Amino acid sequence: TGTDEPMAPTVSREGWMRIAPFILFMLLLAARGAAPADGSWGFDPRWLYALQTLAVGGLLVALWRQYGELARPQWPSLAEFGLAVVAGLAVFGLWIVLDKPWMVIGDATASFTPLDAEGQIDWSLVGFRLAGAALVVPVMEELFWRSFLMRWIERPVFQGVAPQSVGLKAIVLSTFVFTLAHTQWLAAVVAGLVYALLYVRTGKLWVAGIAHAVTNLALGIWVVQTEHWQFW
């Protein structure tokens, strides 16, 4: 056409490999939110979380060889592992106190209260919830939010972007979008920034992923012990 209009950023095959598990997770989350809690669809919608965990976890396993940032050379050192644990616990500590009304926007898409008809804890439901939150979600989300989106914002050919070279704009924008997926917006800002900075500082996605997993596991254990189900 003879014009010099800039082309819209595209997403590569490697990008879709990191987007696909996230999309599957969100679709199943929407299904959980749409399913009536009274079981009128013929099943307990809380068990959709088990399906969510197995389906997304299975997809991650199937695509695992495509994720170079998770390969053995990218495993954290002992010091980096310790940093991740400390950071994850710090985020957990802040998450449970940053819950004042002005710090919360909207309602969760799908609530999760693992109690049976007698009001007792259903440990099978708890087991799937903890496994999903601590093992599947951190890998799925860090691949999407940090490995893909943050670097893609920096440069659409994100595979060539070293984490250490990501600028402030990409960190802030990816954290902002991350925040939109959570009702506790202020806690999500803190968590998103911590995980992003861990990735940028160490250059290893595993460090951010481990911190994320520690946060989710600590939160899950605390929720079960205190029965503050609203955090789930």
Side-chain angles (χ1 to χ4, degrees):
T1 60
T3 63
D4 294 323
E5 294 181 1
M7 295 181 62
T10 58
V11 177
S12 63
R13 175 180 179 276
E14 289 79 6
W16 284 111
M17 292 290 183
R18 289 153 181 80
I19 296 171
F22 182 80
I23 290 178
L24 178 59
F25 181 88
M26 296 304 291
L27 288 174
L28 291 172
L29 178 65
R32 284 205 297 127
D38 61 7
S40 57
W41 282 7
F43 61 90
D44 184 339
R46 294 176 300 179
W47 283 104
L48 282 174
Y49 191 88
L51 174 61
Q52 198 173 17
T53 298
L54 294 173
V56 176
L59 182 57
L60 288 171
V61 170
L63 298 176
W64 196 267
R65 293 181 181 274
Q66 309 298 320
Y67 305 136
E69 59 270 68
L70 299 180
R72 188 165 185 172
Q74 297 299 315
W75 289 3
S77 66
L78 185 59
E80 290 167 339
F81 182 86
L83 174 64
V85 171
V86 171
L89 290 174
V91 172
F92 155 68
L94 289 170
W95 195 280
I96 62 176
V97 298
L98 297 178
D99 65 336
K100 304 300 185 291
W102 67 272
M103 302 175 186
V104 179
I105 296 179
D107 299 313
T109 302
S111 60
F112 191 88
T113 303
L115 302 178
D116 60 23
E118 287 72 41
Q120 301 300 310
I121 294 176
D122 185 329
W123 290 104
S124 55
L125 286 171
V126 168
F128 272 109
R129 181 70 183 197
L130 290 177
L135 298 177
V136 175
V137 168
V139 176
M140 175 268 297
E141 289 204 346
E142 293 308 315
L143 282 168
F144 176 73
W145 296 115
R146 257 63 68 175
S147 176
F148 167 67
L149 185 62
M150 187 173 72
R151 293 193 295 163
W152 184 80
I153 292 172
E154 184 69 25
R155 191 165 70 245
V157 186
F158 76 98
Q159 308 94 296
V161 178
Q164 297 92 332
S165 68
V166 172
L168 182 61
K169 175 185 175 181
I171 293 173
V172 170
L173 286 179
S174 60
T175 299
F176 172 73
V177 182
F178 173 78
T179 300
L180 297 179
H182 299 80
T183 56
Q184 287 180 246
W185 68 267
L186 185 55
V189 168
V190 173
L193 287 175
V194 168
Y195 303 150
L197 292 174
L198 285 172
Y199 185 35
V200 170
R201 182 177 179 86
T202 66
K204 295 179 180 178
L205 191 67
W206 273 116
V207 179
I210 291 169
H212 199 154
V214 168
T215 298
N216 286 5
L217 179 60
L219 179 63
I221 293 172
W222 178 82
V223 165
V224 174
Q225 289 182 332
T226 63
E227 299 192 11
H228 283 77
W229 307 118
Q230 72 272 16
F231 284 88
W232 265 4

